[in-house]
Amino acid sequence: MGKVTGFMEFERIEEGYAPVAERVKHYKEFVIGLDDAQAKQQGARCMDCGTPFCNSGCPVNNIIPDFNDLVFRGDWKNAFAVLDSTNNFPEFTGRICPAPCEAACVLNINNDPVGIKSIEHAIIDRAWHEGWVVPKKPAHKTGKKVAVVGSGPAGLAAAQQLARAGHDVTLFEKNDRIGGLLRYGIPDFKLDKSHIDRRVEQMQAEGVTLRTGVLVGGMPGEGPGAKVTNLAKETVSAAQLTQEFDAVLLAGGAEQSRDLPVPGRELDGVHFAMELLPQQNRANAGDKLKDAISAKGKHVIVIGGGDTGSDCVGTSNRHGAKSVTQFEVMPMPPEEENKPLVWPYWPIKLRTSSSHEEGAQREFAISTKSFNGDKGKIKSLTTVQVEFKDGKLTEVPGTEKEWPADLVLLAMGFTNPVASVLEAFGVDKDARGNAKATTDGAGSYATNVKKVFAAGDMRRGQSLVVWAIREGRQAARSVDAFLIGSSDLPR
């Protein structure tokens, strides 16, 4: 424990942001991380609890009190070693994780929690700067071949762990660059893609073979909810993979966007969020785009109040939208949670993102009834207020309203992975359309098909990056045990 009375002496320090007027002019990261003195002070606030709930609140079970103490003592290299032992990609989670660990912090019962996420961010950025992040090549090769399908956080984590165990790993990605939804779902101003690129270089040095532009299992999906970015140049069948490899891990994302089938849905100008966000990242990477969606000078309405909706708000403001309004069908949550009731679990409370601070009108308890157009183009939409009555959402009479709209972005979440991949392998699906695979006991993450495993969004559905990393690591351990009879990989 760094400082016995630190939690009483020091206040929480938040990471800073570049000014709004400055940051909306570009797509670069704008978070100002903690300096050494600030990180040391935050580390001093950790109480070294007898039962550190932050560990269990973190899906990858980061050993948080230890690296907090090491940062307080100025031992940054060992702090990185502790962090690296549980999390393959702290630079991702240190930037975009909502930090359930902080919600579980014991100090959060009656005070502001320790700034765990900001300390993690500081540790990994320092580790890269000092050259401590290096390839970890296996001591010996097993001769076993593993195919990992999908290069999002679950696929990346699994591929890296399996390569370090000595297996020959090939990572398949249908798009032209590695990263999955990290690459084409999260805006650059939240996660610069250079962080992915240097991890890719590390993994290649560790022996992972990368194959981009390869669609595994057939068609990318059908219907409006399956509009996913796909630049595949070749197709590999499920039969080919199961024949050529000793094990296959399906780790694709939940890419079926939830649709809104109301009158006028077919109008030009109504798009899924995952049509706008990937194309902007491609443009930032220097790709030439045709018929790109633009919010410049338009009244933009974002339907969906989650992180994807927030990303649409930030992107629209950077385009130069005339106005941005975000709809959420649920009632406005309280500004502060009832801590004695919900701690140490993730609380429901009003969350205002950096994108909201850049300019957006937020509307709660509102439902869209129709999209209205002129000559095939969206011009407005009609809404109604809703309320909970008898356990369900019902319309409030007399609350219909028309909103001007030149661009509507549907950001209502994702329902399940692309069905054709699972069907191609013959994998059983659960009630939600995800791959059916248990996480309990021996053979965890195994599907009903011999030597085919599933993890991440492919198995659990839409979730957080940190959960995907956890599942990728745990699935790698199960695949390793399947191939050689036991595994020394950590869960």
Side-chain angles (χ1 to χ4, degrees):
M1 185 173 183
K3 188 172 178 60
V4 175
T5 57
F7 69 96
M8 296 187 290
E9 296 178 29
F10 305 123
E11 299 296 324
R12 177 183 170 94
I13 302 175
E14 299 283 355
E15 292 183 314
Y17 294 149
V20 170
E22 175 186 317
R23 71 188 193 232
V24 295
K25 295 178 181 179
H26 60 76
Y27 293 89
K28 299 177 182 178
E29 290 183 7
F30 53 82
V31 173
I32 303 170
L34 304 185
D35 60 29
D36 287 5
Q38 292 172 326
K40 177 177 180 176
Q41 184 172 310
Q42 276 303 287
R45 296 184 73 232
C46 182
M47 298 190 293
D48 194 22
C49 310
T51 303
F53 286 86
C54 55
N55 286 40
S56 55
C58 172
V60 293
N61 302 123
N62 280 336
I63 311 169
I64 294 165
D66 289 32
F67 67 62
N68 284 344
D69 176 63
L70 288 163
V71 167
F72 170 75
R73 298 178 186 280
D75 190 349
W76 287 86
K77 191 169 186 178
N78 276 320
F80 164 66
V82 171
L83 178 58
D84 186 59
S85 70
T86 57
N87 187 351
N88 295 69
F89 314 117
E91 62 270 43
F92 303 162
T93 52
R95 285 169 166 79
I96 60 177
C97 184
C101 56
E102 294 186 11
C105 175
V106 172
L107 189 55
N108 191 45
I109 295 174
N110 63 351
N111 203 329
D112 293 328
V114 175
I116 300 167
K117 177 181 174 181
S118 60
I119 294 174
E120 178 179 340
H121 186 179
I123 293 171
I124 188 59
D125 279 10
R126 177 135 182 185
W128 278 107
H129 178 73
E130 298 288 348
W132 299 332
V133 185
V134 295
K136 296 180 181 180
K137 298 180 180 180
H140 65 277
K141 302 290 284 186
T142 66
K144 301 292 185 179
K145 297 171 60 179
V146 184
V148 178
V149 181
S151 70
L156 288 172
Q160 184 166 65
Q161 293 295 95
L162 288 164
R164 290 174 175 178
H167 306 302
D168 293 319
V169 181
T170 302
L171 185 59
F172 292 88
E173 169 58 50
K174 68 179 182 300
N175 289 302
D176 56 343
R177 298 180 179 94
I178 294 293
L181 291 176
L182 289 169
R183 173 78 64 178
Y184 289 127
I186 297 171
D188 289 358
F189 55 80
K190 289 178 66 176
L191 179 70
D192 189 276
K193 302 309 176 269
S194 63
H195 303 302
I196 303 173
D197 295 337
R198 60 188 180 185
R199 281 295 182 181
V200 167
E201 292 178 7
Q202 180 195 29
M203 292 172 65
Q204 286 178 307
E206 292 171 343
V208 177
T209 300
L210 308 176
R211 292 188 59 184
T212 57
V214 180
L215 182 63
V216 173
M219 297 301 293
E222 299 177 354
K227 285 187 177 180
V228 295
T229 307
N230 176 34
L231 297 180
K233 297 179 180 179
E234 61 176 302
T235 300
V236 173
S237 70
Q240 185 177 344
L241 283 194
T242 53
Q243 181 179 356
E244 292 183 8
F245 291 87
D246 299 297
V248 177
L249 174 62
L250 304 179
E255 294 181 305
Q256 292 276 3
S257 299
R258 184 172 283 107
D259 205 357
L260 186 59
V262 299
R265 171 64 183 86
E266 75 288 349
L267 290 169
D268 184 25
V270 181
H271 299 276
F272 286 106
M274 287 304 295
E275 294 176 75
L276 170 73
L277 299 177
Q279 75 162 28
Q280 185 58 60
N281 286 0
R282 289 186 180 282
N284 295 344
D287 292 358
K288 302 298 182 182
L289 305 174
K290 293 183 179 179
D291 302 321
I293 301 168
S294 175
K296 185 175 182 179
K298 295 180 179 179
H299 293 292
V300 179
I301 292 183
V302 179
I303 301 179
D307 289 341
T308 304
S310 173
D311 293 344
C312 289
V313 170
T315 301
S316 297
N317 279 325
R318 282 161 178 73
H319 280 196
K322 190 172 185 179
S323 69
V324 182
T325 306
Q326 186 176 21
F327 290 168
E328 169 56 57
V329 71
M330 301 300 290
M332 181 176 174
E335 291 192 11
E336 293 293 335
E337 73 270 31
N338 185 339
K339 290 184 178 181
L341 180 65
V342 301
W343 181 89
Y345 301 108
W346 183 249
I348 295 175
K349 66 177 183 178
L350 182 65
R351 302 178 190 277
T352 300
S353 72
S354 58
S355 292
H356 294 139
E357 294 171 352
E358 293 165 2
Q361 179 180 344
R362 303 171 73 182
E363 298 288 333
F364 294 88
I366 191 169
S367 178
T368 302
K369 291 181 67 73
S370 67
F371 300 116
N372 313 313
D374 180 33
K375 297 180 181 179
K377 295 186 176 182
I378 183 75
K379 291 298 179 184
S380 68
L381 55 77
T382 302
T383 64
V384 64
Q385 294 297 129
V386 292
E387 63 180 357
F388 271 104
K389 184 177 288 186
D390 298 327
K392 62 181 181 180
L393 283 174
T394 58
E395 295 183 1
V396 179
T399 60
E400 286 197 4
K401 181 177 178 179
E402 188 168 349
W403 302 75
D406 307 303
L407 175 63
V408 176
L409 300 169
L410 306 181
M412 301 175 295
F414 306 88
T415 58
N416 51 267
V418 175
S420 60
V421 177
L422 300 179
E423 291 165 358
F425 282 90
V427 171
D428 287 345
K429 291 179 281 189
D430 64 17
R432 297 183 300 156
N434 303 318
K436 191 175 182 180
T438 180
T439 59
D440 299 326
S444 59
Y445 296 92
T447 69
N448 61 297
V449 181
K450 186 179 179 180
K451 71 180 184 181
V452 176
F453 297 75
D457 287 6
M458 184 72 73
R459 189 201 69 82
R460 67 179 288 122
Q462 174 189 351
S463 191
L464 303 175
V465 167
V466 68
W467 270 107
I469 294 172
R470 171 196 171 115
E471 295 231 336
R473 287 171 63 89
Q474 292 190 343
R477 179 181 171 89
S478 287
V479 171
D480 187 34
F482 167 77
L483 292 174
I484 63 174
S486 63
S487 179
D488 292 328
L489 289 174
R491 285 178 58 86

